[in-house]
Amino acid sequence: MLLSERMLEALNNQVKLEAQSSQVYLGIASWLETQPGLEGYTEFFYRQSDEERHHMLKLIHYINDRDGHAIITALEMPKNSFGQVIEVFQDNELLVSKSINDLVELSLNEKDYLTFKFLQWYLDEQLEEEKMAKTMLEKLQLVGSDRGGIYQLDKDIVGLRSKVSESKEGE
Ligand code: OFO
């Protein structure tokens, strides 16, 4: 079953969004790496950038396997500097979730159940990522500008990441 024109266009837009997310996180990771004592956050965002690239590749393969053509486009320059750590937690994941939800709705409207099934993985992934971003933001809000607190959170983030990776491996 071929992808409809509309579905193909929407999936290609998602390819771009995942690639853009990867760039956004790369910009964050690179800035964090230049800041003293934030190795945990730095590692977290480099890995997050890799994950978004993986999400993009998964979509590219899916589109091409369904006899579509995944298109690779230019990306916008991401933000490269931030005033403080808390600023790196933007609304990027909420934007991606909205886009995935729209794709799911389109797949149902078009009765494209293969794409609907394919997108379930992304729904689970977004749930996880939104939860993680919210937890980290809340913790940073709690410590405010206390440098000792931020340093402790930086160490905690390594544990948080491995917990999520373990649960993914167990899936
Ligand atoms: Fe977290 O954005 Fe991909 O799906």
Side-chain angles (χ1 to χ4, degrees):
M1 193 176 99
L2 294 179
L3 290 167
S4 71
E5 282 295 315
R6 230 174 128 207
M7 198 73 238
L8 179 60
E9 192 189 343
L11 287 169
N12 265 320
N13 287 341
Q14 191 65 29
V15 168
K16 184 175 181 190
L17 190 57
E18 302 289 350
Q20 189 65 46
S21 296
S22 179
Q23 285 291 91
V24 165
Y25 291 136
L26 199 54
I28 292 173
S30 179
W31 175 75
L32 285 166
E33 199 169 24
T34 64
Q35 306 301 303
L38 296 178
E39 291 80 8
Y41 282 108
T42 300
E43 171 65 14
F44 175 86
F45 279 100
Y46 273 125
R47 286 180 69 164
Q48 197 62 31
S49 173
D50 284 348
E51 282 205 7
E52 298 304 343
R53 182 176 154 77
H54 169 68
H55 299 171
M56 175 198 70
L57 287 171
K58 209 171 155 73
L59 273 159
I60 291 175
H61 298 319
Y62 177 74
I63 293 170
N64 291 337
D65 284 348
R66 292 279 315 271
D67 291 332
H69 182 193
I71 303 300
I72 311 304
T73 63
L75 300 173
E76 287 146 40
M77 184 175 171
K79 200 168 166 188
N80 276 277
S81 290
F82 302 83
Q84 45 186 335
V85 185
I86 201 161
E87 287 176 26
V88 306
F89 292 94
Q90 308 142 347
D91 288 341
N92 194 55
E93 289 309 324
L94 295 179
L95 186 78
V96 176
S97 294
K98 158 124 190 30
S99 175
I100 298 281
N101 280 340
D102 291 347
L103 274 174
V104 171
E105 191 180 341
L106 180 63
S107 68
L108 283 176
N109 289 343
E110 302 236 331
K111 296 191 170 37
D112 182 347
Y113 299 116
L114 281 175
T115 299
F116 175 77
K117 183 166 173 271
F118 169 75
L119 291 170
Q120 301 310 300
W121 183 88
Y122 286 83
L123 286 177
D124 290 343
E125 193 71 10
Q126 281 313 114
L127 184 68
E128 202 62 66
E129 291 191 346
E130 269 188 44
K131 198 170 94 188
M132 202 156 52
K134 187 168 169 279
T135 305
M136 291 195 296
L137 182 62
E138 283 171 355
K139 283 177 191 268
L140 276 167
Q141 280 165 341
L142 272 178
V143 300
S145 54
D146 174 49
R147 295 185 72 83
I150 294 174
Y151 178 69
Q152 185 55 46
L153 286 180
D154 186 74
K155 290 207 273 181
D156 291 354
I157 201 171
V158 179
L160 185 69
R161 180 91 238 182
S162 3
K163 243 167 64 189
V164 171
S165 307
E166 272 168 31
S167 76
K168 279 187 186 169
E169 276 161 23
E171 278 169 10

